[in-house]
Amino acid sequence: MEPVDAAAIAERATLDLDPAEREIFLDALENGSTTVTYDNPPFAPLRTLNPVEHEGRYYAIAYTITDTHDALGVTVEIDYDPRTTSGPTVAYQDLPARDRALLDSLVLPTPKRRIDGRDMGTVDVYRLDEVEGSVLTPETQYDYVTHDGETYRIWVETYPATVADYRYTVHEVARNRAAFVRRTRDRYQFHLNGLAPAEQEIVETATGRTGYVISQVPQERAAYRSLSERFQAHEAVVGSSTDPDIAYGEYLVRYEGTTYWAEMEFYATPTDTA
């Protein structure tokens, strides 16, 4: 449990977007919506309900599936130091753009991990129109790829898949940070009071520098489980679970006059008591 002020609440309760997610967000913000086709939601981070801050304003993101299509799933594995390099070979830069994208995570930057046999792999999905120009799918024409003076062995396997059209929309939820923090407090913050002595001891420890690590002592585990149920009765800002034996969440808690960002997890064992 860490004390938080308004700035910390705003930072922790918003999404950090990677470049691909930000492109989707900005496109939807500018045009009212944007549609992305893939086998799963390309923008579905853990904090799906948490807004995005952009130029001082805060926006919520949502998506709907508008259509589905047949596609081709692809698995590719690579060996960075093959015992032989005799076979059909292609230069990475000569591959079609879509095939280069398939291999990007494997050859860029220059790989360092080299073990005997297949070193790494990745999966992807090709739309059927992307398969038409590919030399690696549906059946690869090459066994080896050269890149920066190195020759790598590749294995490509394909299988039927389905992709969906995900239509993303955004809407403003707060015009500034003060309004967003107020909204966050109203929705998530709860008071942690009326604790049993064993529960309070756990909370006092959790507010220290090292936090509280769940004990193996049955009585302390029972107190921790009871405390976790108090948390589960409220909505988590991040995570949460309705299973009393498997719980995780990040919560906004008011305790003895101070607001805390609390991270709580509990995994029951067969010997735990309710």
Side-chain angles (χ1 to χ4, degrees):
M1 292 175 59
E2 297 182 23
V4 286
D5 57 12
I9 292 173
E11 179 180 359
R12 291 176 182 240
T14 50
L15 291 170
D16 292 324
L17 304 182
D18 66 29
E21 292 170 342
R22 181 158 293 278
E23 183 178 351
I24 293 172
F25 166 75
L26 292 176
D27 197 17
L29 180 63
E30 180 179 353
N31 299 305
S33 69
T34 189
T35 299
V36 182
T37 303
Y38 204 58
D39 64 322
N40 54 56
F43 189 154
L46 284 176
R47 303 185 180 193
T48 23
L49 298 179
N50 292 64
V52 170
E53 184 275 332
H54 177 65
E55 296 183 350
R57 296 178 181 240
Y58 294 79
Y59 301 86
I61 304 170
Y63 70 83
T64 57
I65 297 177
T66 59
D67 202 357
T68 58
H69 316 273
D70 292 334
L72 190 69
V74 182
T75 299
V76 58
E77 295 177 292
I78 193 166
D79 182 359
Y80 295 127
D81 55 349
R83 295 183 178 182
T84 177
T85 57
S86 176
T89 304
V90 62
Y92 168 83
Q93 62 268 23
D94 293 336
L95 289 169
R98 184 62 183 88
D99 290 341
R100 291 199 303 272
L102 173 67
L103 298 179
D104 275 352
S105 65
L106 301 179
V107 302
L108 301 174
T110 302
K112 302 298 182 184
R113 182 174 184 267
R114 298 173 186 268
I115 61 176
D116 188 29
R118 306 183 188 200
D119 291 278
M120 295 182 65
T122 189
V123 295
D124 206 340
V125 176
Y126 278 55
R127 300 192 307 269
L128 294 186
D129 62 304
E130 294 174 324
V131 173
E132 295 177 3
S134 170
V135 297
L136 299 182
T137 66
E139 294 182 0
T140 181
Q141 300 176 24
Y142 301 98
D143 295 332
Y144 298 89
V145 173
T146 60
H147 180 262
D148 283 351
E150 300 274 0
T151 300
Y152 307 135
R153 176 76 164 94
I154 61 170
W155 295 265
V156 181
E157 296 183 3
T158 60
Y159 52 90
T162 301
V163 295
D165 295 334
Y166 296 93
R167 180 178 178 268
Y168 284 87
T169 57
V170 301
H171 69 274
E172 184 179 297
V173 295
R175 296 181 62 84
N176 52 49
R177 189 175 73 182
F180 175 67
V181 172
R182 186 165 55 250
R183 174 184 183 270
T184 303
R185 288 182 185 271
D186 290 344
R187 176 170 179 173
Y188 297 107
Q189 183 172 286
F190 64 94
H191 289 267
L192 197 58
N193 48 31
L195 300 176
E199 294 174 329
Q200 185 167 5
E201 184 176 346
I202 292 172
V203 171
E204 291 290 342
T205 304
T207 59
R209 294 183 61 184
T210 59
Y212 175 85
V213 179
I214 189 167
S215 169
Q216 297 304 312
V217 178
Q219 293 84 350
E220 292 186 28
R221 288 186 66 85
Y224 189 89
R225 179 165 187 162
S226 174
L227 184 63
S228 73
E229 291 171 353
R230 289 177 178 268
F231 278 81
Q232 285 183 280
H234 301 275
E235 185 179 6
V237 187
V238 183
S240 83
S241 167
T242 57
D243 185 339
D245 293 333
I246 306 174
Y248 169 77
E250 297 179 27
Y251 297 85
L252 195 60
V253 178
R254 188 77 173 169
Y255 176 68
E256 294 193 347
T258 301
T259 299
Y260 293 91
W261 191 273
E263 298 182 21
M264 184 279 301
E265 62 181 27
F266 181 87
Y267 302 98
T269 67
T271 60
D272 286 327
T273 57

